[in-house]
Amino acid sequence: MDKAYEAKKYEDDIYKKWEESGAFKADSDSDKESFTISMPPPNATGVLHLGHSVMLALEDIMIRHRRMKGYEVLWLPGTDHAAIATENVVIRKLKEDQGIENPRSLGRKKLVDEIKKYVANSQGTIRSQIRKMGASCDWERERYTMDKSLHRCVNEVFKKMYDDELIYRGERVVNWDVALQTTLADDEVEHEEKEGILYTFEYLTAKQTGGEPLYVGTSRPETKLGDNAIAVHPDDKRYQHLIGKNFDVEWPGGQTINVTVIADHDIDPEFGTGALGVTPFHSKIDYDMWLRHREDIKAKPIHVIDENGKITNNIKGYEGLTVIEARNKFVGELKSAGKMKSEERYIQQMSISYRSKMPVEPIPKLQWFIDVNKQAIDWKGKKMSLKEAMQAVIKDHDIRIIPDRFEKIYFHWVDNLQDWCISRQIWWGHRIPVWYRQDEKSSDTHVGLEAPEGDGWKQDEDTLDTWFSSALWTWSTLIDPDIADDHSLSFDELLSKSPDFIKFHPTQIMETGYDIIFFWIARMILATTYATKQIPFETVYLHGLIRTREGKKMSKSDPETCIDPLDMIEKYGADAIRLSMVIGSTPGNDTRLYEEKIQGYRNFTNKLWNASRFVLGILEEKNVTDEPVVDYDNLTDADQWILNKLNETIKDVDDGLMEYKISETGQILYDFLWNDFCDWYLELSKGDKQNLAVLYHALKNILILLHPFIPFVTEVIWSQLPGQSEMLIRHDYPKPDGRKYNWKSLDNVIEVIKSIRRLRGENKIEPAQKIAVNIYSAKHYDDLQNNQEDIIRLARISDLVIDKKGVKLSGAATDVVNGIEIFIPLEGLVDTEKEKVRLGKEIGNLEGYIKGLDAKLSNDKFAKNAPKEVVDGEKAKLSEAENKLEKLKEQLGNL
């Protein structure tokens, strides 16, 4: 073996060998129990970022573990067409690279061809980057959301939903992204706190109300030009006499509207004036209110703002103005007319597009929707709505969410789910499978998998929301592509004749970021329960976000906060970055990542490499060419101790991985290799005590256990292990050997050595200085005597006395572990008088520090006002300081 492990020297070659060996390939004809993960598809045009890297590391650990345990494993990779993002990238490139000012002028076909060409050239990038992470996925089954077989599934589900009257077309107020010129689903809208102005102005005159003028407050005065109602709370005594009345309102500038005063329980009488102008076409809340009261409201809604964010021709004197221009003009006219009462700055929730980061404009449009409340799905013998089925699978524990606290968040979202707007006004994506034909006599609509026969048919211009096709991901990817083109087969036949669907669905786990639980997880449950009558997955594992050392969110706009996983792989190897992202990262919680942390786990791979070189060197020296057999009748205390530790580790790691406790099991393996095997067993296995078979057995199992976590370095070392012809990726997972070992003997010896080392450190004894030690224990006398050479060597002792009992020594550092008394005479080792002075000073400083912390924590003002984490932090400091004080006083007493 080379003296040092250089990851980039091996990783690409190893991955190629794995792939060529067929180790990643799943067999749908196998009788083994299946274990399936559908890889969350990154954008086809994207590059590997830390979110992908975490996902790949976690899923690969799960996959490799189950594969070694004998499951028929399928990890299906793929990419997403990412409609809005991809179209925008290509449009921008056409503008910048080819000088095409308006790429849509190319026409639909040419622009879509440009996008296809760009995607084809880009997909190879993300594939190679996934390989760099060591992801052992089945590349022969790779899918893309625009594949023909997936397109067939999209159209099948659309038609099925349309026939079941779940999909409908209607005019509704939608979230309109003015910048991208398309609609957005509710959960594609982010809400940011921004400073706004609450304008309060006269709406109805005193003459109209028969008393005081009626004022309204709004942050968007320009929309009041299109009101058709004023809403008040039914119990608000100020407005009782106005409810049900109609008024003509002539605004300064000439626009006249007719409004009806309505009573609605959603109105907050404490906000502003308690009266709200209702603009149905520019607020979803107002639109719903109008639907509730449409029989009472005289005037029809007015369309104020168009798709370009400008005022429509419906508003006299404001035609063609931008929203801000119209606002400024209207506010100025109100002031000039003496109608403006006040302008107050306040913090409001602004709706922002998650994609363009620009404000979202609610406007009325003819769109396609999925009805989530119509009872049209048969689920477990009951007729349910899509929403009810989504609730049932979690309530009935068909699907488990890790961590379970996210169930509350899931239910909150599902309980408030509105009909899903699935149409988008872009050209890239799955085009809505609806055709129209109209002449003077009739108009026809056709919904189907293919265009209808005959002339005059025109397909709907819109495409489907990207999440519609992504919602089918776990099962549409398992449809046999060879039969997808056969339109004589029904949808149910497509499923029943696809071997992969039969063998590998439902999938076992969906591992993804908690930030897309609504975007994707919930929609997969919605679409899959409806279309296949199955759950998409048994478990949802939600990882957190990767943050900087300071806890900031990593952002492309702030390059200093970003870590490029590919740079880190080049520098430290894939194994190091994999470990750095999973150990210490628990489900649903954000984790901090920085280069020093990755470097620290590179040191762990080096530790494994060096330990393996040590063992392999001994095996080579002794001419061991095959796997040696352990003689269980001739084991030292150290052998029994490490074999027992190995059994415990195998069980704990296997059980943990079966329960998806990735971080905990990674930490167990880290501690076992670094502490138990390297720091203790290898140190205790010197000279005549070396047991070649146990060394080999322990190292072999360490490599197998670590392989799911750090596959590259373990595979390299495995190839050097005598007697192993098969690649490690194909090896069976170990089981505890079932033997009982006398491990306690050495456990006590190790605790004694640790205690002596600690006492040396506390009393500032030089590491190289050999010392005298007295140890007394009747119960453990034989164990201590049998291992006294190791105690002398590892604790650096010149004179060791081991007895069943003895006199307590004065002027000695002392400790008691497991009933064993330990004494280190300090005379001659330390300057007693100087040490007394040093300890006294340190004790005085610490007592002052503790007094200050006590005063702070006793202060009611601090306890009430400080954040909980700050108070807890101060309490932790106090506890640590008190423990340290106790130790210092003990040391002073020993002197």
Side-chain angles (χ1 to χ4, degrees):
M1 284 178 72
D2 293 341
K3 189 172 182 182
Y5 175 63
E6 295 179 48
K8 58 184 174 184
K9 179 179 176 181
Y10 300 100
E11 289 183 349
D12 289 345
D13 287 342
I14 288 172
Y15 193 92
K16 190 178 178 186
K17 286 178 184 175
W18 285 334
E19 198 171 345
E20 289 175 350
S21 75
F24 301 167
K25 189 166 168 38
D27 181 6
S28 59
D29 294 326
S30 165
D31 292 330
K32 297 180 193 174
E33 183 180 348
S34 65
F35 181 82
T36 312
I37 298 179
S38 296
M39 181 188 293
N43 291 357
T45 58
V47 293
L48 191 76
H49 58 64
L50 285 173
H52 298 140
S53 304
V54 174
M55 172 269 288
L56 292 169
L58 288 166
E59 291 182 20
D60 196 44
I61 290 167
M62 298 172 191
I63 284 290
R64 288 177 184 269
H65 171 247
R66 292 307 201 286
R67 186 186 288 126
M68 295 174 98
K69 280 184 69 66
Y71 288 78
E72 191 58 48
V73 164
L74 171 60
W75 188 15
L76 190 145
T79 48
D80 189 272
H81 67 281
I84 295 177
T86 304
E87 183 168 310
N88 285 338
V89 168
V90 175
I91 285 175
R92 188 170 66 247
K93 287 186 77 66
L94 289 171
K95 286 179 179 179
E96 294 171 358
D97 300 347
Q98 297 184 31
I100 302 173
E101 192 173 331
N102 179 18
R104 284 181 174 270
S105 65
L106 295 172
R108 186 171 196 137
K109 185 178 185 309
K110 281 191 176 180
L111 181 58
V112 167
D113 285 344
E114 287 288 337
I115 296 170
K116 284 180 179 176
K117 197 190 306 178
Y118 178 75
V119 169
N121 291 333
S122 301
Q123 275 179 307
T125 302
I126 196 73
R127 289 190 192 113
S128 66
Q129 292 172 348
I130 290 171
R131 285 176 165 91
K132 281 283 186 186
M133 281 296 295
S136 58
C137 48
D138 189 342
W139 288 107
E140 291 183 25
R141 284 179 167 85
E142 183 189 3
R143 295 290 183 266
Y144 173 46
T145 49
M146 292 293 281
D147 284 346
K148 279 186 176 180
S149 55
L150 277 73
H151 183 65
R152 166 85 187 266
C153 293
V154 166
N155 287 352
E156 287 279 6
V157 173
F158 186 98
K159 177 168 170 43
K160 181 176 168 63
M161 284 187 159
Y162 182 84
D163 291 343
D164 285 342
E165 298 180 350
L166 286 173
I167 283 182
Y168 64 92
R169 196 181 192 207
E171 188 170 65
R172 296 284 187 280
V173 171
V174 296
N175 305 302
W176 182 256
D177 188 325
V178 175
L180 299 180
Q181 289 288 289
T182 187
T183 54
L184 300 169
D186 288 344
D187 46 18
E188 293 175 313
V189 177
E190 296 173 345
H191 298 282
E192 293 182 7
E193 286 193 343
K194 301 264 187 181
E195 186 177 74
I197 299 175
L198 183 65
Y199 300 92
T200 303
F201 51 86
E202 185 186 279
Y203 202 109
L204 297 179
T205 65
K207 184 178 178 181
Q208 287 174 305
T209 64
E212 294 292 324
L214 184 144
Y215 292 91
V216 298
T218 179
S219 61
R220 302 201 61 187
E222 69 281 359
T223 63
K224 301 304 99 189
L225 295 162
D227 283 357
N228 68 346
I230 298 170
V232 298
H233 194 277
D235 299 331
D236 195 330
K237 294 178 181 178
R238 293 172 293 179
Y239 306 116
Q240 292 294 312
H241 63 296
L242 300 176
I243 294 172
K245 292 183 178 179
N246 292 297
F247 298 94
D248 288 323
V249 178
E250 185 176 347
W251 293 118
Q255 174 74 3
T256 300
I257 58 173
N258 181 269
V259 294
T260 305
V261 180
I262 59 172
D264 194 285
H265 285 278
D266 282 355
I267 299 300
D268 179 3
E270 300 299 321
F271 180 77
T273 65
L276 176 79
V278 179
T279 319
F281 277 177
H282 298 285
S283 162
K284 287 191 172 186
I285 294 171
D286 290 10
Y287 185 83
D288 291 340
M289 200 177 295
W290 172 65
L291 290 178
R292 291 197 294 272
H293 300 277
R294 63 191 307 174
E295 299 300 322
D296 303 319
I297 297 174
K298 180 180 174 182
K300 291 181 179 179
I302 300 170
H303 196 166
V304 179
I305 302 165
D306 67 14
E307 294 175 0
N308 297 309
K310 294 189 175 180
I311 304 303
T312 68
N313 293 333
N314 296 327
I315 311 301
K316 291 178 183 177
Y318 293 82
E319 302 94 327
L321 296 180
T322 66
V323 167
I324 298 301
E325 288 169 347
R327 182 178 304 169
N328 291 338
K329 181 179 179 184
F330 186 46
V331 167
E333 289 171 345
L334 288 169
K335 289 179 178 177
S336 297
K339 288 183 173 290
M340 184 63 68
K341 184 180 181 182
S342 64
E343 298 175 56
E344 297 174 54
R345 294 193 175 277
Y346 78 116
I347 300 300
Q348 62 178 342
Q349 289 285 327
M350 181 77 80
S351 296
I352 304 292
S353 165
Y354 88 108
R355 186 64 67 182
S356 70
K357 302 303 178 187
M358 297 297 286
V360 169
E361 196 65 66
I363 64 171
K365 283 193 71 69
L366 192 62
Q367 300 287 335
W368 289 95
F369 294 87
I370 292 178
D371 188 335
V372 296
N373 294 301
K374 182 181 175 65
Q375 292 190 322
I377 173 174
D378 293 313
W379 184 253
K380 294 188 175 181
K382 292 181 181 177
K383 205 76 167 173
M384 293 186 181
S385 67
L386 293 170
K387 184 188 283 192
E388 287 168 338
M390 293 168 77
Q391 292 163 332
V393 294
I394 304 298
K395 284 178 182 173
D396 297 342
H397 307 294
D398 296 319
I399 297 174
R400 172 191 176 200
I401 298 178
I402 301 173
D404 59 9
R405 72 173 186 273
F406 278 88
E407 286 186 9
K408 284 184 181 177
I409 299 170
Y410 174 87
F411 282 123
H412 176 76
W413 185 81
V414 173
D415 293 346
N416 293 285
L417 186 62
Q418 304 281 318
D419 286 0
W420 175 13
C421 178
I422 56 171
S423 45
R424 296 291 181 271
Q425 288 65 51
I426 56 175
W427 287 350
W428 177 237
H430 295 277
R431 197 163 173 182
I432 288 176
V434 177
W435 287 261
Y436 310 101
R437 182 168 64 182
Q438 190 166 1
D439 55 32
E440 294 176 0
K441 295 179 181 177
S442 63
S443 61
D444 299 316
T445 300
H446 171 80
V447 178
L449 307 184
E450 299 175 292
E453 294 179 359
D455 298 328
W457 290 99
K458 187 179 178 184
Q459 190 172 358
D460 196 302
E461 291 288 327
D462 288 353
T463 53
L464 285 163
D465 180 5
T466 299
W467 297 109
F468 187 93
S469 52
S470 300
L472 319 181
W473 183 247
T474 64
W475 60 269
S476 61
T477 51
L478 301 175
I479 296 302
D480 188 343
D482 294 335
I483 65 172
D485 283 337
D486 185 352
H487 288 277
S488 69
L489 295 176
S490 69
F491 176 63
D492 288 340
E493 287 172 323
L494 266 186
L495 298 177
S496 63
K497 290 180 182 291
S498 295
D500 280 0
F501 176 79
I502 294 166
K503 176 69 179 176
F504 297 112
H505 203 270
T507 65
Q508 273 55 63
I509 188 163
M510 174 51 65
E511 191 288 323
T512 189
Y514 68 66
D515 52 332
I516 59 171
I517 187 171
F518 313 129
F519 286 123
W520 193 36
I521 297 294
R523 287 192 170 99
M524 281 192 282
I525 295 171
L526 178 154
T528 306
T529 52
Y530 168 75
T532 70
K533 304 298 183 284
Q534 295 181 358
I535 54 173
F537 28 71
E538 296 167 359
T539 303
V540 176
Y541 182 107
L542 299 170
H543 69 249
L545 302 177
I546 300 290
R547 296 189 178 274
T548 65
R549 184 202 303 271
E550 294 77 24
K552 289 184 191 173
K553 187 176 179 180
M554 291 193 185
S555 169
K556 290 179 189 174
S557 60
D558 186 2
E560 289 187 6
T561 68
C562 281
I563 289 178
D564 184 336
L566 297 169
D567 289 347
M568 295 300 104
I569 289 171
E570 175 70 18
K571 200 168 182 181
Y572 301 112
D575 292 328
I577 195 167
R578 284 168 65 116
L579 272 187
S580 69
M581 290 188 297
V582 300
I583 295 182
S585 171
T586 51
N589 294 317
D590 295 347
T591 187
R592 300 184 183 196
L593 187 66
Y594 37 92
E595 190 167 343
E596 294 90 336
K597 186 177 180 183
I598 300 167
Q599 188 177 3
Y601 285 104
R602 192 270 311 272
N603 296 342
F604 177 78
T605 62
N606 288 344
K607 185 82 169 178
L608 173 64
W609 183 265
N610 292 333
S612 301
R613 279 186 75 240
F614 174 75
V615 174
L616 291 169
I618 294 169
L619 296 173
E620 185 179 0
E621 190 181 305
K622 302 293 183 182
N623 296 315
V624 176
T625 57
D626 206 347
E627 181 171 353
V629 178
V630 176
D631 180 359
Y632 290 99
D633 295 326
N634 290 291
L635 299 173
T636 65
D637 285 352
D639 295 335
Q640 299 211 53
W641 180 81
I642 197 66
L643 289 170
N644 180 73
K645 285 281 186 184
L646 179 61
N647 274 344
E648 289 177 351
T649 302
I650 290 170
K651 184 179 187 310
D652 291 345
V653 171
D654 190 23
D655 289 350
L657 288 177
M658 291 302 289
E659 283 294 311
Y660 307 117
K661 295 177 179 176
I662 311 295
S663 174
E664 295 93 322
T665 53
Q667 190 62 54
I668 289 168
L669 285 170
Y670 185 101
D671 293 341
F672 177 71
L673 172 74
W674 199 292
N675 300 331
D676 299 336
F677 186 67
C678 294
D679 287 358
W680 291 110
Y681 184 66
L682 293 186
E683 287 299 321
L684 292 164
S685 298
K686 297 283 173 87
D688 297 339
K689 289 190 174 184
Q690 283 175 352
N691 186 325
L692 298 184
V694 174
L695 278 169
Y696 184 103
H697 179 75
L699 178 60
K700 172 189 169 183
N701 281 284
I702 285 169
L703 294 174
I704 298 170
L705 291 169
L706 278 170
H707 181 71
F709 290 83
I710 46 174
F712 288 110
V713 67
T714 50
E715 191 73 76
V716 175
I717 297 168
W718 183 266
S719 68
Q720 304 289 316
L721 209 56
Q724 301 300 334
S725 57
E726 183 182 55
M727 292 184 82
L728 177 54
I729 192 174
R730 290 186 172 276
H731 203 282
D732 291 341
Y733 205 74
K735 295 177 181 176
D737 62 23
R739 296 175 183 272
K740 300 289 184 185
Y741 295 105
N742 176 24
W743 56 272
K744 288 186 179 177
S745 299
L746 195 78
D747 220 41
N748 287 319
V749 170
I750 288 171
E751 289 306 313
V752 166
I753 296 169
K754 284 181 183 177
S755 173
I756 295 168
R757 288 174 174 176
R758 183 177 57 77
L759 290 172
R760 291 180 67 117
E762 287 176 356
N763 289 280
K764 303 291 186 290
I765 300 170
E766 289 294 327
Q769 175 75 53
K770 291 197 173 184
I771 57 175
V773 178
N774 286 26
I775 302 174
Y776 306 138
S777 174
K779 184 177 180 182
H780 303 296
Y781 177 78
D782 292 339
D783 295 338
L784 294 167
Q785 282 286 3
N786 293 338
N787 292 280
Q788 65 174 312
E789 288 181 16
D790 291 322
I791 297 172
I792 289 169
R793 178 168 57 88
L794 296 176
R796 298 195 62 76
I797 296 173
S798 55
D799 298 300
L800 175 64
V801 174
I802 299 174
D803 215 333
K804 292 182 180 179
K805 60 181 179 179
V807 178
K808 181 177 180 180
L809 302 179
S810 60
T814 66
D815 196 13
V816 178
V817 290
N818 298 334
I820 302 167
E821 293 181 287
I822 301 163
F823 297 89
I824 302 177
L826 296 175
E827 189 176 350
L829 294 175
V830 296
D831 186 325
T832 308
E833 293 307 315
K834 270 188 181 179
E835 193 63 11
K836 282 179 183 178
V837 171
R838 184 189 71 79
L839 286 171
K841 191 179 285 186
E842 197 170 341
I843 286 168
N845 291 337
L846 199 55
E847 284 175 335
Y849 176 66
I850 288 169
K851 189 176 179 182
L853 284 175
D854 261 331
K856 184 187 274 191
L857 289 167
S858 301
N859 186 316
D860 289 340
K861 198 172 181 182
F862 172 77
K864 284 178 184 176
N865 299 329
K868 183 178 183 299
E869 58 269 22
V870 172
V871 176
D872 290 344
E874 295 300 296
K875 286 179 178 177
K877 286 180 190 175
L878 179 61
S879 176
E880 186 181 339
E882 287 173 339
N883 289 334
K884 187 177 179 182
L885 181 64
E886 189 180 336
K887 289 283 183 187
L888 291 174
K889 285 181 175 179
E890 184 183 331
Q891 289 174 44
L892 186 61
N894 290 337
L895 293 173

